Amino acid sequence: MTAQMAKRVTEEYYSWFCGTELSGLERGRHLVCSAGRDQYLPAYGCKFTIWILVKDGLCVGAYSPKYQALFEELEKGGEIIPSLNQRFPMKRMELMVFESEKLSSYGEAKALAPADYPLYESFFRQAYPDAEPDGWLKDYFTQKARGCFTGYLSGGRLLSVCDLPDMPYMQEKIQHTGIRTLEGERRKGYALCTAALAAHNLLANGVCPQWECSAENTASIELAKAVGYREYGTAHILEEGEK
């Protein structure tokens, strides 16, 4: 998959959230009322009732019909994002697009197979001490460990893992690679090798790697750039419903 293909797939993916096709949009404001923003997204455990992308002179996105009157008022003038931030607990996410592979050596990172589940369970329990994995974690791992689920192995332990969370749209074309490194094992290059191998394996399988994080998470943004992503835009999101 080339950088041009990755950009096209990434734009197609975010078009689902924006309620309109991003490709070819002229600069300016493009906001639509969309019933799709009232749909519950199991991958996130909530609804994104407002989802707005800001990039390259564009302000484009969609909002739930229940906010139509508000947006009609906002469209009459003023800055929409600051106004929304005053009214709602808006979440700001940095969106990345894959550009090129920057690593060709991955240290002790490896693709995880179903037989590696005991190692993964041990890692998960240490990384998420408040979680309760019994009854679901093994099924999740077995389903996802198909060559792109990666981890950094040292001393018989997994120290960093890129998992493959569910995607709300285009599951077979694009895949987020969540990264987690054990405390005490960070800033040693494990996350970089693991995330780079995860992206490499996805590309080899014809799947576009996807990365997004809190806009305040500079460490995650710099890690993504080191892997081969570049900044794409910023999403302003109102999450509602269960979480």
Side-chain angles (χ1 to χ4, degrees), residues 114-137:
D116 293 313
Y117 176 72
L119 290 172
Y120 178 69
E121 181 182 357
S122 178
F123 169 87
F124 185 92
R125 290 184 182 277
Q126 189 172 350
Y128 305 95
D130 296 329
E132 179 46 67
D134 293 338
W136 66 270
L137 186 67

Side-chain angles (χ1 to χ4, degrees), residues 155-195:
R157 299 168 60 224
L158 282 174
L159 305 180
S160 185
V161 169
C162 259
D163 64 358
L164 302 175
D166 290 336
M167 301 294 287
Y169 309 112
M170 298 173 58
Q171 180 75 49
E172 302 303 318
K173 288 186 176 182
I174 190 167
Q175 178 63 60
H176 181 70
T177 53
I179 181 73
R180 183 82 172 196
T181 304
L182 296 180
E183 291 188 23
E185 304 295 346
R186 296 169 184 171
R187 297 180 176 85
K188 298 180 180 180
Y190 302 151
L192 175 59
C193 290
T194 304

